[in-house]
Amino acid sequence: MVGREIIGVPGETRQAVRQPYDIDSLTDVALRVFAERGFDGSSMDDVARAAGIAKASIYHHISGKDELLRRGLERALGALFAVLDEPGARAGLPISRLEYVYRRVATLALELRFELTVLVRVRGNSDAERDAMVRRRAFDERVTAIVRAAQAAGEFDPQLDAALAVRLMFGMVNSIVEWYRPDGPLPIERIADALVHIVFHGVSTGEQTQ
């Protein structure tokens, strides 16, 4: 592939390597391992085994597990911040912008479930994790600003604390990564629709029974 390094054991031909991997596809494998076993509970042996290559092949191109984590976190955060620059997040009524952002993030949580799983589980145990937490807070603050604009416009309940509302809203999204399976009965669009409906329209029909 142009612009990507092919990972292989030094001194071996490509044909001798069980499966060629570039940096991005290796990151894919590592994220799946981190999501399933936890970052602290995963080793480079686990990543190499999942990729079907020798561990020496990995170290020939990257410094170690932290670099794979950083790459994965960058993917997740880059995708989140990109949403805020999309036209639907920048134009229109504040409540419409907020709904757009929420739906997009819910969709990303399913499309990039391994990246988002790793992101929501960081606890600040490394420089990469601490940097990710700072950037995630910055993302939440930008969404909170949209909530406050919606409150000022009379579109969002002013009695709710804006920052708390954002944490609770995204807490629902974050929970998806714990149970979603791409081969399950619910498609991505239906799950995103349900989240948006619950947050922006509620679950009550407005009818009360005696």
Side-chain angles (χ1 to χ4, degrees):
M1 289 185 178
V2 177
R4 290 184 178 180
E5 298 174 279
I6 298 298
I7 294 188
V9 179
E12 292 184 349
T13 64
R14 181 174 300 181
Q15 289 75 18
V17 180
R18 182 174 177 183
Q19 180 176 355
Y21 270 84
D22 59 39
I23 294 296
D24 286 336
S25 58
L26 180 61
T27 302
D28 292 339
V29 173
L31 287 170
R32 186 175 71 248
V33 172
F34 297 162
E36 292 172 352
R37 302 175 63 92
F39 178 73
D40 292 334
S42 304
S43 68
M44 292 298 283
D45 285 319
D46 295 323
V47 176
R49 188 177 305 111
I53 59 177
K55 186 167 66 172
S57 305
I58 301 175
Y59 284 114
H60 184 66
H61 292 275
I62 63 170
S63 60
K65 197 169 68 164
D66 283 346
E67 183 176 346
L68 289 169
L69 175 65
R70 187 179 293 277
R71 285 176 176 272
L73 293 173
E74 178 57 39
R75 281 188 191 178
L77 290 161
L80 290 177
F81 277 97
V83 168
L84 299 179
D85 290 329
E86 294 174 0
R90 297 174 62 88
L93 297 174
I95 195 67
S96 298
R97 294 165 52 207
L98 181 63
E99 182 174 336
Y100 177 87
V101 170
Y102 192 66
R103 181 184 295 277
R104 288 285 289 116
V105 173
T107 301
L108 284 175
L110 302 175
E111 294 175 343
L112 301 176
R113 66 188 187 283
F114 296 132
E115 287 86 346
L116 269 294
T117 297
V118 173
L119 175 61
V120 301
R121 291 177 180 172
V122 298
R123 294 295 181 268
N125 295 326
S126 66
D127 288 342
E129 291 193 13
R130 286 187 286 273
D131 290 345
M133 291 175 69
V134 169
R135 292 184 63 191
R136 178 57 196 266
R137 283 194 292 269
F139 174 83
D140 289 347
E141 288 168 2
R142 288 184 61 178
V143 179
T144 299
I146 301 176
V147 171
R148 292 194 176 110
Q151 289 176 320
E155 303 164 346
F156 195 103
D157 190 341
Q159 296 185 37
L160 290 173
D161 180 86
L164 175 61
V166 168
R167 293 189 67 178
L168 294 174
M169 288 167 62
F170 286 122
M172 290 180 61
V173 173
N174 294 343
S175 71
I176 297 175
V177 301
E178 301 295 340
W179 55 262
Y180 173 72
R181 296 294 180 270
D183 57 351
L186 296 175
I188 290 176
E189 295 77 11
R190 186 172 175 186
I191 296 173
D193 286 344
L195 283 167
V196 169
H197 185 88
I198 291 171
V199 169
F200 291 89
H201 306 288
V203 297
S204 173
T205 63
E207 298 178 359
Q208 296 183 353
T209 58
Q210 298 295 327

